[in-house]
Amino acid sequence: MSGLRILVPVKRVIDYAVKPRVNKAQTAVETNGVKHSMNPFDELSIEEAVRMRERKLPVEDILVFSAGPAKAQDILRTAMAMGADRGIHVVVEPGKDPQGGEKGDLEPLGVAKLLQKVVQEEKRNMVILGKQSIDDDAMQTGQMLAGLLNWPQACSASKVEVDGENVTVTREVDGGVETLRAKLPIIITTDLRLHEPRYASLPNIMKAKKKPLVKKTMEDYGVDSARRLRTVKVQEPAPRQGGGKVEDVDGMIAKLKDLGAL
Amino acid sequence: MFSAARHTALRQARTCLRTSGPPAITSQYATAYRLLSTLAVLEQRESKLNMSSLAAVTAGMKLGGSVTGFVAGSNIKAVAEEAAKVEGLEKVIYVENGAYDKGLPENYAPLLVENIKKGGFTHVFAGHSAFGKNLMPRVAAMLDTQQISDITGIESEDTFVRPIYAGNAILTVQIADPIKIITVRGTAFASGEAQGGSASVEEGVDPKVECPTEWVSEDLAKSDRPDLATASKVVSGGRGLKSKEEFDRLMPPLADALGAAIGASRAAVDSGFADNSLQVGQTGKNVAPQLYLCAGISGAIQHLAGMKDSKVIACINKDGDAPIFQVADVGLVGDLFERVPELTEKLKAQ
């Protein structure tokens, strides 16, 4: 039985609790001076990988990967403090597209192509991703990677069981759950229900500082990651006017009738 | 609304002249561009057409050009005939093969890719449902195109509108890729009844790709209530309900009195008050009913992401400063354990 060589891609995003503001030029969401943290779904991916090792599955190593600005390193260190063994950081500064194209972050297709290279170079047989990043809300990267590699995919996983080469995944679907079974190698994306991610303890944070973290560039991978989409504009959503309060249940029913909702 | 298609030729000429722009569109696609044609991927379950997947047809109609429906599975001819009655569809392509019944992307994606290439489609729309979310990015990667997810608006044949950051910002994007793979938010492209149309029905190509994934089982919540994603009224409960017993005691009677679907906040789902599939929000369902009536929900941004496009929002909460009051059209400050039963009784008496 072959060991699990797990890849966990993580993304640095604006913290989930921060209310995003659109910049004045209406070109993007303001990120300067805003608290960032690891995408919540990616925390679950690491948690799942670490628990696989704790469940005595033959986990050979857990590699975390991020493509992003210098500060994405903090996210990788957090992941290593949670239990990942080593990290790769592809430095992509916002506004500096190596291909000379338009400014902006990598798109899911570009990230998937990058991950395809990483999987091949690092001989991975399992990739655990978050089902979506909470900034772009695209929900694409895992499925795209599975398509590029022609591997089985199990998205929005709420339970993962590994038995030798067989992986059984329960996934969240509209109206309930469904269970799938496939053989390694496999792409899994995590849903919120999968786990409660652990906090990194101080000793583990200190230990994580000594774990290997390799810096790479887009050129190292030679992937065409030019943006395919051009941002026309970013706007605030139309504000909703709170209609004020009513005194009692009768008032509520009367107002709902006025508004034509009953 | 249909003017988008008319300007296509002109825009195409302009795109070709632009030299510094994104990857140049080669002339072989120019013809396809002029003949704007949409494939709407329709869902079926046990040989019944999933009506909410018709949002893909509505989106195709808004775009202009021809719209072709696509269905695959066992006993699919009947589903294709049913889809042929959908207004706006010119043609329905069907592929009869039980291997596609569960919509597994490992063999469904190659199937779609073959049919997209054969039909020369410029746009492929599917609902942003569990099925569409799972399948379409795989299709997009196989076609080397950047998918656009969960659109809420169409500006032109290459420009689309979608929410980002849990609906806290609205992004308008333009795409130059020759084949546009797009998932649509069902509540933004409401579909009509499946009648009045008379599409032709045609068999598609079946690459019969071996599927490495085995479908084992499913466990779907059974309910006689309207489907949450498409219901015209939704009542929703949160952490304020305190327990599953209280949730089950208070919410179903209120839902019944209104003929509404039941939803829940993430707090309620995580605490085990309600099933996962009922979660409304960024990571759950997006709903936009005529009436969204919630009790014991504070209104965190992740929850608002899933319901703030509702026509009328009403809330009952004992904390008058809760963020939910900032979006609610009708807000009642009070103890939900008293107000919800009172509301239920008075609605029943109407």
Side-chain angles (χ1 to χ4, degrees):
Chain A
M1 162 172 160
S2 72
L4 294 172
R5 298 178 300 278
I6 306 175
L7 172 66
V8 181
V10 294
K11 186 177 182 185
R12 177 179 179 266
V13 298
I14 291 184
D15 190 85
Y16 75 95
V18 174
K19 184 171 165 54
R21 303 270 172 214
V22 174
N23 66 12
K24 282 208 180 71
Q26 296 203 325
T27 53
V29 164
E30 195 57 69
T31 52
N32 283 337
V34 177
K35 186 187 175 196
H36 283 68
S37 39
M38 193 191 303
N39 180 41
F41 291 97
D42 301 344
E43 292 185 355
L44 293 160
S45 310
I46 299 162
E47 183 64 36
E48 175 62 32
V50 174
R51 286 198 195 194
M52 281 183 182
R53 172 175 281 154
E54 289 169 352
R55 288 205 300 265
K56 306 283 183 229
L57 288 169
V59 176
E60 277 183 29
D61 81 328
I62 302 168
L63 169 65
V64 281
F65 174 93
S66 195
K71 283 181 177 162
Q73 217 187 90
D74 304 347
I75 304 301
L76 288 167
R77 291 285 174 205
T78 308
M80 289 190 270
M82 288 172 73
D85 301 308
R86 60 197 179 98
I88 296 178
H89 179 201
V90 171
V91 185
V92 184
E93 287 303 332
K96 279 190 224 155
D97 185 334
Q99 259 79 24
E102 205 194 334
K103 287 184 190 179
D105 294 328
L106 293 170
E107 290 167 346
L109 185 64
V111 175
K113 287 179 178 177
L114 193 55
L115 291 173
Q116 181 188 13
K117 286 268 178 177
V118 177
V119 164
Q120 287 161 349
E121 283 183 11
E122 300 284 341
K123 300 198 169 28
R124 301 290 100 181
N125 57 7
M126 178 181 281
V127 187
I128 312 179
L129 309 90
K131 74 166 178 176
Q132 76 191 86
S133 71
I134 59 163
D135 49 0
D136 190 40
D137 283 337
M139 231 186 219
Q140 298 172 2
T141 310
Q143 297 90 310
M144 284 182 159
L145 178 60
L148 293 174
L149 290 165
N150 198 22
W151 285 11
Q153 67 184 58
C155 297
S156 303
S158 58
K159 193 175 178 201
V160 180
E161 285 167 298
V162 183
D163 178 14
E165 293 281 312
N166 293 313
V167 184
T168 308
V169 179
T170 301
R171 51 185 301 263
E172 304 268 327
V173 295
D174 297 339
V177 294
E178 72 175 12
T179 304
L180 305 174
R181 191 179 302 132
K183 283 196 179 350
L184 290 173
I186 192 171
I187 305 287
I188 296 166
T189 76
T190 56
D191 207 315
L192 279 178
R193 235 68 58 186
L194 187 57
H195 292 302
E196 190 70 43
R198 70 195 61 196
Y199 287 102
S201 66
L202 188 59
N204 284 340
I205 292 170
M206 299 312 286
K207 270 186 223 156
K209 289 187 179 179
K210 296 205 178 67
K211 289 183 178 177
L213 174 59
V214 179
K215 264 195 195 178
K216 294 215 175 194
T217 63
M218 288 300 290
E219 285 80 2
D220 292 338
Y221 290 100
V223 169
D224 168 27
S225 63
R227 285 178 68 83
R228 307 294 188 82
L229 306 182
R230 187 179 74 82
T231 298
V232 177
K233 63 187 172 198
V234 179
Q235 292 170 300
E236 297 272 355
R240 248 198 116 97
Q241 285 294 322
K245 293 166 186 169
V246 292
E247 287 302 313
D248 51 24
V249 167
D250 291 322
M252 182 171 241
I253 291 172
K255 185 127 186 233
L256 288 176
K257 279 191 175 157
D258 278 355
L259 292 167
L262 286 183
Chain B
M1 189 191 292
F2 294 97
S3 62
R6 256 182 271 134
H7 295 298
T8 312
L10 184 62
R11 187 173 291 105
Q12 173 59 24
R14 257 189 273 133
T15 316
C16 286
L17 288 172
R18 218 190 298 140
T19 47
S20 61
I25 293 144
T26 50
S27 57
Q28 63 173 19
Y29 294 119
T31 337
Y33 244 179
R34 272 197 300 279
L35 301 167
L36 193 73
S37 67
T38 297
L39 185 69
V41 185
L42 305 178
E43 296 174 39
Q44 62 105 10
R45 179 166 201 94
E46 281 152 13
S47 304
K48 279 198 73 177
L49 189 62
N50 178 345
M51 299 309 283
S52 58
S53 72
L54 298 183
V57 179
T58 314
M61 285 168 71
K62 281 203 170 157
L63 192 67
S66 69
V67 187
T68 303
F70 183 89
V71 285
S74 50
N75 302 322
I76 204 69
K77 199 73 190 289
V79 184
E81 303 287 352
E82 195 187 346
K85 298 195 186 82
V86 173
E87 202 190 338
L89 279 180
E90 277 182 21
K91 190 163 75 179
V92 176
I93 297 175
Y94 70 91
V95 174
E96 169 79 45
N97 186 342
Y100 302 119
D101 276 345
K102 300 301 179 188
L104 295 171
E106 289 83 352
N107 60 357
Y108 209 117
L111 167 73
L112 260 185
V113 167
E114 283 296 308
N115 283 281
I116 292 165
K117 283 184 177 162
K118 187 185 170 221
F121 297 101
T122 56
H123 293 72
V124 183
F125 287 113
H128 194 65
S129 60
F131 171 79
K133 288 187 275 202
N134 199 22
L135 170 69
M136 299 305 274
R138 192 165 175 124
V139 172
M142 291 174 77
L143 291 166
D144 193 33
T145 173
Q146 175 54 55
Q147 181 189 324
I148 305 179
S149 293
D150 202 20
I151 64 161
T152 52
I154 297 173
E155 300 250 298
S156 72
E157 104 278 359
D158 64 356
T159 309
F160 304 90
V161 181
R162 58 179 298 260
I164 53 174
Y165 287 92
N168 282 288
I170 308 298
L171 169 70
T172 306
V173 284
Q174 193 178 22
I175 178 166
D177 288 349
I179 303 176
K180 293 148 184 72
I181 304 289
I182 294 161
T183 58
V184 304
R185 182 172 287 201
T187 54
F189 296 91
S191 50
E193 296 292 307
Q195 52 187 16
S198 54
S200 60
V201 174
E202 193 179 284
E203 205 167 347
V205 285
D206 186 356
K208 295 195 174 126
V209 171
E210 196 75 24
C211 185
T213 311
E214 181 196 348
W215 186 90
V216 179
S217 64
E218 68 187 357
D219 182 11
L220 300 182
K222 292 204 171 40
S223 168
D224 298 331
R225 295 209 172 74
D227 176 47
L228 177 58
T230 53
S232 67
K233 289 176 184 141
V234 173
V235 298
S236 196
R239 196 198 306 270
L241 282 151
K242 296 223 165 62
S243 69
K244 179 167 168 51
E245 289 67 39
E246 293 295 339
F247 195 99
D248 290 344
R249 185 174 71 84
L250 294 178
M251 300 313 287
L254 180 60
D256 291 341
L258 284 164
I262 298 180
S265 71
R266 186 181 161 202
V269 170
D270 281 353
S271 309
F273 304 175
D275 190 76
N276 292 345
S277 59
L278 301 186
Q279 186 186 324
V280 172
Q282 183 183 17
T283 61
K285 290 243 168 31
N286 273 296
V287 301
Q290 292 293 321
L291 172 63
Y292 187 84
L293 175 56
C294 60
I297 289 179
S298 65
I301 55 175
Q302 290 81 8
H303 186 75
L304 298 183
M307 49 62 88
K308 67 182 176 186
D309 294 326
S310 305
K311 288 276 181 318
V312 174
I313 297 172
C315 71
I316 301 175
N317 203 305
K318 67 179 173 195
D319 175 11
D321 295 325
I324 191 75
F325 284 101
Q326 288 162 26
V327 299
D329 301 287
V330 190
L332 175 60
V333 183
D335 182 354
L336 70 90
F337 295 104
E338 290 166 19
R339 297 296 165 238
V340 170
E342 186 187 345
L343 181 63
T344 305
E345 285 313 309
K346 287 188 170 157
L347 285 170
K348 266 196 217 154
Q350 303 256 320

